[in-house]
Amino acid sequence: MKRLLMLLVLGLLVACTKPVPTDHRDYIGLWEGPGMRLDIQPDGDSRYEREREGRSTRISGPAHDFTTSGFKIGIGPLSARFKVSRAPAQVEGQWTMTVDGVALVRVRAYAEPGGGVRL
């Protein structure tokens, strides 16, 4: 029974994952900052980890609902909204952005559909 439930949840996650919208492709990559790690894949699959005040938070799922002020990771009531106060931008050759008040640096870029790499 447990195995069936896990397979159903996994199937739901895969079915709900959509590629990151074209106008938000700058968000794709592995981002790191003090106590935070954010990994957004080209296909929308994402992982968030944050350590603060002795507690850790981990969220995995599709990235979606991108707006000028943020995005969500997860499915339905199990999703979390992330506030972007500074959108991804290249500064002196390094990609940076600020999410939930944490300055992040992109440490890894991923190949995009069609074979290009977003540097």
Side-chain angles (χ1 to χ4, degrees):
M1 184 67 164
K2 267 186 172 179
R3 179 174 250 159
L4 178 61
L5 182 60
M6 288 179 64
L7 287 173
L8 287 172
V9 170
L10 181 61
L12 181 61
L13 282 172
V14 170
C16 292
T17 301
K18 295 181 182 174
V20 174
T22 305
D23 56 337
H24 288 90
R25 303 296 284 174
D26 291 344
Y27 286 81
I28 295 171
L30 175 60
W31 301 82
E32 294 182 347
M36 184 186 290
R37 182 180 177 117
L38 176 63
D39 188 8
I40 301 176
Q41 301 284 324
D43 66 1
D45 187 38
S46 303
R47 285 167 197 72
Y48 163 84
E49 298 174 7
R50 186 157 188 195
E51 302 280 337
R52 64 177 165 179
E53 300 174 7
R55 298 186 324 177
S56 78
T57 303
R58 288 178 173 71
I59 300 171
S60 296
H64 58 95
D65 289 352
F66 284 89
T67 67
T68 56
S69 62
F71 58 92
K72 289 183 177 181
I73 294 178
I75 298 174
L78 300 177
S79 64
R81 171 151 288 288
F82 296 88
K83 182 180 178 190
V84 176
S85 53
R86 204 169 109 251
Q90 199 168 21
V91 178
E92 296 180 12
Q94 189 169 51
W95 282 89
T96 63
M97 74 170 160
T98 302
V99 176
D100 290 345
V102 178
L104 302 174
V105 173
R106 187 163 68 189
V107 297
R108 183 181 305 147
Y110 298 117
E112 292 191 56
V117 175
R118 187 74 154 171
L119 300 175

